[in-house]
Amino acid sequence: MRHVYWIGGGSGAGKSTVARRLAGRYGWRLYSTDDAMADHARRAGAAEAPLLHAFLAMDMDERWVRRSPEEMLETFHWFRGEGFGLIVEDLLRMPREPCVVVEGFRLLPHLVRPLLPAPGHAVWLLPTPAFRRTVFRSRAATGQSFLQRTGDPRRAEDNLAARDDLFTLRLREETARLELPSLTVDGTLTEDALTERVAAVFGR
C-alpha cells in the first residue's frame, strides 16, 4: 500500500485538519475513518465485533457515566481493533492513484505497521491532556458534545477525558516500541506548522 499515508493519534489532536490540508495541497484522496464508522458498524457482525455489539446495546449512561475510564478503554471496540479490516477493505477498493491520506484514532500502530512500505508513511499525533481538554470544552460550548445526552454530562466528560488520556499514553508507548513516528500536540504549534511537520514525516 505504497500509495497510502496514515495519520493516527488521540482525539482532538488535529488529525482531520492536517489530513484535509495535505489532501488539498497534493491532490490526494481523503479517507476519514470517523466518517466510515456508521457503515462499518453495519457491516461488522456480532461474531467478528463482539465489543461493538455490546457497546451498541448500552444506553448512554452505561457507555459514559457508570463505567470506569479503565473499563471504557479496555472494552471500546475501535480501540481494540474491531473493524480495522473494513478500513483495509475500503482502501483496497480505491484506485491506486491519486495517493490516499487516511486519518482517525482507529489507526492503531500495531495494526498499521505491517501495511507500511516504510515508517515515513505514517505518523501519530499525540495530544497532551491539557490540550485535548481545551479542545473538548470548546466543542461542548458550541453544543457539539454528545455527552449532553447523558444523565450526568460533567461526570461523563471526566470519564471520557481520563479514558482518552489512557489511550494516548498507550499510543505513545506503542509507537515508541514499534519505532514509528509521532508528534506531541500541545497547542504550541499552529495548524500550518503542524501540517508542515506531518508533511516532513511523509517526505514532502
mmCIF file of all heavy atoms in Angstrom, residues 86-126:
data_model
loop_
_atom_site.group_PDB
_atom_site.id
_atom_site.type_symbol
_atom_site.label_atom_id
_atom_site.label_comp_id
_atom_site.label_asym_id
_atom_site.label_seq_id
_atom_site.Cartn_x
_atom_site.Cartn_y
_atom_site.Cartn_z
ATOM 1 N N LEU A 86 -12.138 -3.664 7.884
ATOM 2 C CA LEU A 86 -13.053 -2.988 6.965
ATOM 3 C C LEU A 86 -12.418 -1.717 6.402
ATOM 4 O O LEU A 86 -12.690 -1.339 5.253
ATOM 5 C CB LEU A 86 -14.363 -2.659 7.683
ATOM 6 C CG LEU A 86 -15.146 -3.881 8.172
ATOM 7 C CD1 LEU A 86 -16.351 -3.444 8.998
ATOM 8 C CD2 LEU A 86 -15.580 -4.758 7.006
ATOM 9 N N ILE A 87 -11.584 -1.058 7.193
ATOM 10 C CA ILE A 87 -10.823 0.083 6.670
ATOM 11 C C ILE A 87 -9.925 -0.381 5.527
ATOM 12 O O ILE A 87 -9.875 0.242 4.457
ATOM 13 C CB ILE A 87 -9.973 0.728 7.786
ATOM 14 C CG1 ILE A 87 -10.867 1.337 8.869
ATOM 15 C CG2 ILE A 87 -9.022 1.779 7.212
ATOM 16 C CD1 ILE A 87 -10.105 1.853 10.085
ATOM 17 N N VAL A 88 -9.217 -1.478 5.753
ATOM 18 C CA VAL A 88 -8.321 -2.006 4.726
ATOM 19 C C VAL A 88 -9.119 -2.407 3.482
ATOM 20 O O VAL A 88 -8.701 -2.131 2.347
ATOM 21 C CB VAL A 88 -7.522 -3.202 5.277
ATOM 22 C CG1 VAL A 88 -6.646 -3.810 4.183
ATOM 23 C CG2 VAL A 88 -6.650 -2.755 6.453
ATOM 24 N N GLU A 89 -10.274 -3.037 3.674
ATOM 25 C CA GLU A 89 -11.109 -3.409 2.525
ATOM 26 C C GLU A 89 -11.491 -2.180 1.708
ATOM 27 O O GLU A 89 -11.438 -2.195 0.463
ATOM 28 C CB GLU A 89 -12.377 -4.115 3.006
ATOM 29 C CG GLU A 89 -12.178 -5.536 3.491
ATOM 30 C CD GLU A 89 -13.494 -6.171 3.917
ATOM 31 O OE1 GLU A 89 -14.568 -5.644 3.528
ATOM 32 O OE2 GLU A 89 -13.444 -7.187 4.627
ATOM 33 N N ASP A 90 -11.892 -1.111 2.385
ATOM 34 C CA ASP A 90 -12.264 0.119 1.684
ATOM 35 C C ASP A 90 -11.086 0.666 0.884
ATOM 36 O O ASP A 90 -11.240 1.082 -0.283
ATOM 37 C CB ASP A 90 -12.731 1.178 2.679
ATOM 38 C CG ASP A 90 -14.062 0.843 3.334
ATOM 39 O OD1 ASP A 90 -14.752 -0.080 2.850
ATOM 40 O OD2 ASP A 90 -14.402 1.504 4.335
ATOM 41 N N LEU A 91 -9.905 0.666 1.480
ATOM 42 C CA LEU A 91 -8.728 1.211 0.805
ATOM 43 C C LEU A 91 -8.344 0.368 -0.405
ATOM 44 O O LEU A 91 -7.935 0.907 -1.446
ATOM 45 C CB LEU A 91 -7.556 1.288 1.781
ATOM 46 C CG LEU A 91 -7.718 2.285 2.933
ATOM 47 C CD1 LEU A 91 -6.571 2.142 3.925
ATOM 48 C CD2 LEU A 91 -7.790 3.719 2.415
ATOM 49 N N LEU A 92 -8.471 -0.925 -0.286
ATOM 50 C CA LEU A 92 -8.114 -1.801 -1.401
ATOM 51 C C LEU A 92 -9.066 -1.648 -2.582
ATOM 52 O O LEU A 92 -8.692 -1.949 -3.719
ATOM 53 C CB LEU A 92 -8.086 -3.259 -0.938
ATOM 54 C CG LEU A 92 -6.938 -3.627 0.017
ATOM 55 C CD1 LEU A 92 -7.103 -5.057 0.510
ATOM 56 C CD2 LEU A 92 -5.588 -3.446 -0.672
ATOM 57 N N ARG A 93 -10.274 -1.172 -2.327
ATOM 58 C CA ARG A 93 -11.229 -0.945 -3.415
ATOM 59 C C ARG A 93 -10.985 0.368 -4.137
ATOM 60 O O ARG A 93 -11.534 0.602 -5.219
ATOM 61 C CB ARG A 93 -12.655 -0.976 -2.869
ATOM 62 C CG ARG A 93 -13.170 -2.376 -2.569
ATOM 63 C CD ARG A 93 -14.686 -2.390 -2.480
ATOM 64 N NE ARG A 93 -15.162 -1.596 -1.360
ATOM 65 C CZ ARG A 93 -15.455 -2.103 -0.159
ATOM 66 N NH1 ARG A 93 -15.319 -3.394 0.060
ATOM 67 N NH2 ARG A 93 -15.892 -1.321 0.802
ATOM 68 N N MET A 94 -10.163 1.240 -3.550
ATOM 69 C CA MET A 94 -9.904 2.533 -4.177
ATOM 70 C C MET A 94 -8.822 2.409 -5.243
ATOM 71 O O MET A 94 -7.953 1.539 -5.156
ATOM 72 C CB MET A 94 -9.439 3.546 -3.114
ATOM 73 C CG MET A 94 -10.487 3.902 -2.097
ATOM 74 S SD MET A 94 -9.807 5.086 -0.879
ATOM 75 C CE MET A 94 -11.215 5.251 0.216
ATOM 76 N N PRO A 95 -8.847 3.280 -6.245
ATOM 77 C CA PRO A 95 -7.753 3.303 -7.228
ATOM 78 C C PRO A 95 -6.430 3.622 -6.542
ATOM 79 O O PRO A 95 -6.398 4.275 -5.500
ATOM 80 C CB PRO A 95 -8.160 4.436 -8.184
ATOM 81 C CG PRO A 95 -9.624 4.637 -7.963
ATOM 82 C CD PRO A 95 -9.894 4.282 -6.541
ATOM 83 N N ARG A 96 -5.343 3.181 -7.117
ATOM 84 C CA ARG A 96 -4.021 3.424 -6.537
ATOM 85 C C ARG A 96 -3.527 4.839 -6.830
ATOM 86 O O ARG A 96 -2.510 5.259 -6.285
ATOM 87 C CB ARG A 96 -3.020 2.394 -7.065
ATOM 88 C CG ARG A 96 -3.346 0.974 -6.608
ATOM 89 C CD ARG A 96 -2.303 -0.014 -7.093
ATOM 90 N NE ARG A 96 -0.977 0.278 -6.547
ATOM 91 C CZ ARG A 96 -0.555 -0.129 -5.363
ATOM 92 N NH1 ARG A 96 -1.353 -0.836 -4.570
ATOM 93 N NH2 ARG A 96 0.668 0.160 -4.941
ATOM 94 N N GLU A 97 -4.201 5.553 -7.698
ATOM 95 C CA GLU A 97 -3.881 6.951 -7.955
ATOM 96 C C GLU A 97 -5.178 7.756 -7.884
ATOM 97 O O GLU A 97 -6.206 7.314 -8.407
ATOM 98 C CB GLU A 97 -3.242 7.120 -9.338
ATOM 99 C CG GLU A 97 -1.873 6.453 -9.457
ATOM 100 C CD GLU A 97 -1.250 6.681 -10.826
ATOM 101 O OE1 GLU A 97 -1.907 7.322 -11.688
ATOM 102 O OE2 GLU A 97 -0.128 6.228 -11.029
ATOM 103 N N PRO A 98 -5.158 8.923 -7.236
ATOM 104 C CA PRO A 98 -4.025 9.519 -6.527
ATOM 105 C C PRO A 98 -3.774 8.813 -5.193
ATOM 106 O O PRO A 98 -4.496 7.886 -4.829
ATOM 107 C CB PRO A 98 -4.490 10.959 -6.301
ATOM 108 C CG PRO A 98 -5.981 10.824 -6.140
ATOM 109 C CD PRO A 98 -6.373 9.743 -7.123
ATOM 110 N N CYS A 99 -2.757 9.282 -4.465
ATOM 111 C CA CYS A 99 -2.479 8.748 -3.132
ATOM 112 C C CYS A 99 -3.671 9.011 -2.202
ATOM 113 O O CYS A 99 -4.521 9.870 -2.472
ATOM 114 C CB CYS A 99 -1.230 9.397 -2.548
ATOM 115 S SG CYS A 99 0.307 8.940 -3.375
ATOM 116 N N VAL A 100 -3.717 8.258 -1.140
ATOM 117 C CA VAL A 100 -4.784 8.386 -0.144
ATOM 118 C C VAL A 100 -4.167 8.760 1.196
ATOM 119 O O VAL A 100 -3.168 8.152 1.609
ATOM 120 C CB VAL A 100 -5.564 7.066 0.004
ATOM 121 C CG1 VAL A 100 -6.716 7.246 1.003
ATOM 122 C CG2 VAL A 100 -6.078 6.569 -1.333
ATOM 123 N N VAL A 101 -4.750 9.734 1.868
ATOM 124 C CA VAL A 101 -4.361 10.025 3.247
ATOM 125 C C VAL A 101 -5.512 9.567 4.132
ATOM 126 O O VAL A 101 -6.656 9.976 3.956
ATOM 127 C CB VAL A 101 -4.010 11.515 3.456
ATOM 128 C CG1 VAL A 101 -5.152 12.442 3.067
ATOM 129 C CG2 VAL A 101 -3.588 11.750 4.907
ATOM 130 N N VAL A 102 -5.202 8.672 5.054
ATOM 131 C CA VAL A 102 -6.185 8.075 5.959
ATOM 132 C C VAL A 102 -5.983 8.686 7.336
ATOM 133 O O VAL A 102 -4.847 8.794 7.803
ATOM 134 C CB VAL A 102 -5.981 6.543 6.045
ATOM 135 C CG1 VAL A 102 -7.084 5.902 6.881
ATOM 136 C CG2 VAL A 102 -5.934 5.931 4.655
ATOM 137 N N GLU A 103 -7.068 9.081 8.001
ATOM 138 C CA GLU A 103 -6.905 9.675 9.323
ATOM 139 C C GLU A 103 -7.957 9.150 10.283
ATOM 140 O O GLU A 103 -9.063 8.811 9.899
ATOM 141 C CB GLU A 103 -6.954 11.204 9.237
ATOM 142 C CG GLU A 103 -8.271 11.804 8.778
ATOM 143 C CD GLU A 103 -9.265 12.037 9.909
ATOM 144 O OE1 GLU A 103 -8.862 11.918 11.091
ATOM 145 O OE2 GLU A 103 -10.436 12.302 9.616
ATOM 146 N N GLY A 104 -7.560 9.101 11.571
ATOM 147 C CA GLY A 104 -8.508 8.729 12.601
ATOM 148 C C GLY A 104 -7.841 8.020 13.769
ATOM 149 O O GLY A 104 -6.752 7.461 13.647
ATOM 150 N N PHE A 105 -8.529 8.021 14.897
ATOM 151 C CA PHE A 105 -7.979 7.377 16.094
ATOM 152 C C PHE A 105 -7.989 5.860 15.989
ATOM 153 O O PHE A 105 -7.321 5.170 16.756
ATOM 154 C CB PHE A 105 -8.751 7.827 17.338
ATOM 155 C CG PHE A 105 -10.174 7.333 17.387
ATOM 156 C CD1 PHE A 105 -10.466 6.085 17.910
ATOM 157 C CD2 PHE A 105 -11.222 8.116 16.932
ATOM 158 C CE1 PHE A 105 -11.771 5.616 17.969
ATOM 159 C CE2 PHE A 105 -12.530 7.666 16.982
ATOM 160 C CZ PHE A 105 -12.806 6.412 17.496
ATOM 161 N N ARG A 106 -8.742 5.309 15.021
ATOM 162 C CA ARG A 106 -8.843 3.851 14.863
ATOM 163 C C ARG A 106 -7.573 3.231 14.282
ATOM 164 O O ARG A 106 -7.457 2.002 14.225
ATOM 165 C CB ARG A 106 -10.030 3.510 13.963
ATOM 166 C CG ARG A 106 -11.372 3.942 14.529
ATOM 167 C CD ARG A 106 -12.480 3.814 13.506
ATOM 168 N NE ARG A 106 -12.617 2.436 13.039
ATOM 169 C CZ ARG A 106 -13.370 2.090 11.996
ATOM 170 N NH1 ARG A 106 -14.012 3.016 11.296
ATOM 171 N NH2 ARG A 106 -13.452 0.831 11.632
ATOM 172 N N LEU A 107 -6.621 4.045 13.878
ATOM 173 C CA LEU A 107 -5.399 3.540 13.247
ATOM 174 C C LEU A 107 -4.394 3.163 14.329
ATOM 175 O O LEU A 107 -3.493 3.928 14.666
ATOM 176 C CB LEU A 107 -4.833 4.607 12.301
ATOM 177 C CG LEU A 107 -5.821 5.145 11.257
ATOM 178 C CD1 LEU A 107 -5.151 6.170 10.361
ATOM 179 C CD2 LEU A 107 -6.421 4.008 10.430
ATOM 180 N N LEU A 108 -4.555 1.984 14.873
ATOM 181 C CA LEU A 108 -3.679 1.527 15.942
ATOM 182 C C LEU A 108 -2.317 1.157 15.364
ATOM 183 O O LEU A 108 -2.230 0.490 14.331
ATOM 184 C CB LEU A 108 -4.296 0.318 16.641
ATOM 185 C CG LEU A 108 -5.729 0.518 17.166
ATOM 186 C CD1 LEU A 108 -6.209 -0.742 17.870
ATOM 187 C CD2 LEU A 108 -5.822 1.731 18.074
ATOM 188 N N PRO A 109 -1.236 1.580 16.004
ATOM 189 C CA PRO A 109 0.103 1.376 15.432
ATOM 190 C C PRO A 109 0.418 -0.076 15.072
ATOM 191 O O PRO A 109 0.981 -0.340 14.006
ATOM 192 C CB PRO A 109 1.036 1.906 16.530
ATOM 193 C CG PRO A 109 0.221 2.938 17.235
ATOM 194 C CD PRO A 109 -1.179 2.403 17.233
ATOM 195 N N HIS A 110 0.062 -1.017 15.942
ATOM 196 C CA HIS A 110 0.424 -2.409 15.664
ATOM 197 C C HIS A 110 -0.370 -2.993 14.502
ATOM 198 O O HIS A 110 0.061 -3.978 13.896
ATOM 199 C CB HIS A 110 0.247 -3.274 16.917
ATOM 200 C CG HIS A 110 -1.181 -3.501 17.321
ATOM 201 N ND1 HIS A 110 -1.895 -2.582 18.070
ATOM 202 C CD2 HIS A 110 -2.034 -4.539 17.091
ATOM 203 C CE1 HIS A 110 -3.123 -3.044 18.282
ATOM 204 N NE2 HIS A 110 -3.224 -4.222 17.700
ATOM 205 N N LEU A 111 -1.510 -2.377 14.165
ATOM 206 C CA LEU A 111 -2.280 -2.826 13.008
ATOM 207 C C LEU A 111 -1.797 -2.175 11.715
ATOM 208 O O LEU A 111 -1.804 -2.793 10.649
ATOM 209 C CB LEU A 111 -3.766 -2.527 13.223
ATOM 210 C CG LEU A 111 -4.437 -3.238 14.395
ATOM 211 C CD1 LEU A 111 -5.890 -2.806 14.520
ATOM 212 C CD2 LEU A 111 -4.334 -4.755 14.240
ATOM 213 N N VAL A 112 -1.376 -0.924 11.813
ATOM 214 C CA VAL A 112 -0.903 -0.202 10.626
ATOM 215 C C VAL A 112 0.500 -0.645 10.232
ATOM 216 O O VAL A 112 0.812 -0.741 9.033
ATOM 217 C CB VAL A 112 -0.931 1.318 10.891
ATOM 218 C CG1 VAL A 112 -0.291 2.084 9.732
ATOM 219 C CG2 VAL A 112 -2.360 1.797 11.118
ATOM 220 N N ARG A 113 1.343 -0.942 11.204
ATOM 221 C CA ARG A 113 2.766 -1.214 10.937
ATOM 222 C C ARG A 113 2.999 -2.262 9.849
ATOM 223 O O ARG A 113 3.843 -2.038 8.959
ATOM 224 C CB ARG A 113 3.472 -1.639 12.244
ATOM 225 C CG ARG A 113 4.975 -1.889 12.068
ATOM 226 C CD ARG A 113 5.684 -0.593 11.709
ATOM 227 N NE ARG A 113 7.102 -0.763 11.500
ATOM 228 C CZ ARG A 113 7.657 -1.045 10.312
ATOM 229 N NH1 ARG A 113 6.871 -1.226 9.257
ATOM 230 N NH2 ARG A 113 8.954 -1.132 10.187
ATOM 231 N N PRO A 114 2.291 -3.400 9.827
ATOM 232 C CA PRO A 114 2.561 -4.398 8.777
ATOM 233 C C PRO A 114 2.199 -3.934 7.368
ATOM 234 O O PRO A 114 2.643 -4.545 6.385
ATOM 235 C CB PRO A 114 1.685 -5.590 9.193
ATOM 236 C CG PRO A 114 1.425 -5.398 10.644
ATOM 237 C CD PRO A 114 1.353 -3.919 10.834
ATOM 238 N N LEU A 115 1.429 -2.856 7.258
ATOM 239 C CA LEU A 115 0.985 -2.369 5.952
ATOM 240 C C LEU A 115 1.899 -1.300 5.379
ATOM 241 O O LEU A 115 1.695 -0.857 4.250
ATOM 242 C CB LEU A 115 -0.440 -1.802 6.067
ATOM 243 C CG LEU A 115 -1.495 -2.747 6.637
ATOM 244 C CD1 LEU A 115 -2.825 -2.016 6.789
ATOM 245 C CD2 LEU A 115 -1.668 -3.970 5.742
ATOM 246 N N LEU A 116 2.903 -0.867 6.145
ATOM 247 C CA LEU A 116 3.728 0.266 5.734
ATOM 248 C C LEU A 116 4.896 -0.171 4.858
ATOM 249 O O LEU A 116 5.644 -1.072 5.234
ATOM 250 C CB LEU A 116 4.284 0.991 6.967
ATOM 251 C CG LEU A 116 3.267 1.603 7.926
ATOM 252 C CD1 LEU A 116 3.993 2.225 9.118
ATOM 253 C CD2 LEU A 116 2.410 2.636 7.221
ATOM 254 N N PRO A 117 5.095 0.504 3.715
ATOM 255 C CA PRO A 117 6.305 0.256 2.932
ATOM 256 C C PRO A 117 7.547 0.843 3.602
ATOM 257 O O PRO A 117 8.662 0.407 3.358
ATOM 258 C CB PRO A 117 6.011 0.952 1.601
ATOM 259 C CG PRO A 117 5.045 2.039 1.955
ATOM 260 C CD PRO A 117 4.195 1.481 3.070
ATOM 261 N N ALA A 118 7.324 1.855 4.467
ATOM 262 C CA ALA A 118 8.406 2.496 5.231
ATOM 263 C C ALA A 118 7.760 3.238 6.389
ATOM 264 O O ALA A 118 6.596 3.657 6.294
ATOM 265 C CB ALA A 118 9.193 3.472 4.352
ATOM 266 N N PRO A 119 8.471 3.424 7.500
ATOM 267 C CA PRO A 119 7.880 4.138 8.650
ATOM 268 C C PRO A 119 7.386 5.533 8.302
ATOM 269 O O PRO A 119 6.443 6.031 8.915
ATOM 270 C CB PRO A 119 9.033 4.178 9.656
ATOM 271 C CG PRO A 119 9.875 2.994 9.322
ATOM 272 C CD PRO A 119 9.805 2.879 7.818
ATOM 273 N N GLY A 120 8.003 6.184 7.311
ATOM 274 C CA GLY A 120 7.623 7.534 6.937
ATOM 275 C C GLY A 120 6.306 7.649 6.207
ATOM 276 O O GLY A 120 5.964 8.725 5.704
ATOM 277 N N HIS A 121 5.542 6.579 6.130
ATOM 278 C CA HIS A 121 4.198 6.637 5.544
ATOM 279 C C HIS A 121 3.121 6.785 6.611
ATOM 280 O O HIS A 121 1.929 6.749 6.288
ATOM 281 C CB HIS A 121 3.926 5.386 4.705
ATOM 282 C CG HIS A 121 4.386 5.507 3.292
ATOM 283 N ND1 HIS A 121 3.527 5.469 2.211
ATOM 284 C CD2 HIS A 121 5.619 5.699 2.768
ATOM 285 C CE1 HIS A 121 4.221 5.602 1.088
ATOM 286 N NE2 HIS A 121 5.486 5.744 1.401
ATOM 287 N N ALA A 122 3.515 6.923 7.869
ATOM 288 C CA ALA A 122 2.533 7.047 8.943
ATOM 289 C C ALA A 122 3.078 7.930 10.050
ATOM 290 O O ALA A 122 4.291 8.006 10.261
ATOM 291 C CB ALA A 122 2.182 5.662 9.506
ATOM 292 N N VAL A 123 2.161 8.596 10.750
ATOM 293 C CA VAL A 123 2.534 9.400 11.907
ATOM 294 C C VAL A 123 1.348 9.417 12.859
ATOM 295 O O VAL A 123 0.186 9.348 12.422
ATOM 296 C CB VAL A 123 2.940 10.834 11.498
ATOM 297 C CG1 VAL A 123 1.763 11.594 10.896
ATOM 298 C CG2 VAL A 123 3.534 11.592 12.675
ATOM 299 N N TRP A 124 1.644 9.487 14.151
ATOM 300 C CA TRP A 124 0.599 9.568 15.165
ATOM 301 C C TRP A 124 0.722 10.892 15.895
ATOM 302 O O TRP A 124 1.809 11.265 16.353
ATOM 303 C CB TRP A 124 0.722 8.389 16.138
ATOM 304 C CG TRP A 124 0.114 7.148 15.567
ATOM 305 C CD1 TRP A 124 -1.140 6.652 15.808
ATOM 306 C CD2 TRP A 124 0.704 6.269 14.607
ATOM 307 N NE1 TRP A 124 -1.355 5.524 15.062
ATOM 308 C CE2 TRP A 124 -0.247 5.259 14.323
ATOM 309 C CE3 TRP A 124 1.943 6.221 13.956
ATOM 310 C CZ2 TRP A 124 0.012 4.227 13.424
ATOM 311 C CZ3 TRP A 124 2.196 5.211 13.049
ATOM 312 C CH2 TRP A 124 1.236 4.228 12.789
ATOM 313 N N LEU A 125 -0.398 11.621 15.986
ATOM 314 C CA LEU A 125 -0.450 12.900 16.688
ATOM 315 C C LEU A 125 -0.969 12.647 18.094
ATOM 316 O O LEU A 125 -2.070 12.122 18.280
ATOM 317 C CB LEU A 125 -1.375 13.876 15.950
ATOM 318 C CG LEU A 125 -1.052 14.107 14.463
ATOM 319 C CD1 LEU A 125 -1.983 15.172 13.881
ATOM 320 C CD2 LEU A 125 0.401 14.481 14.256
ATOM 321 N N LEU A 126 -0.162 13.024 19.081
ATOM 322 C CA LEU A 126 -0.443 12.670 20.473
ATOM 323 C C LEU A 126 -0.701 13.936 21.286
ATOM 324 O O LEU A 126 0.232 14.643 21.672
ATOM 325 C CB LEU A 126 0.736 11.890 21.054
ATOM 326 C CG LEU A 126 1.176 10.662 20.228
ATOM 327 C CD1 LEU A 126 2.385 9.993 20.861
ATOM 328 C CD2 LEU A 126 0.016 9.672 20.079
#
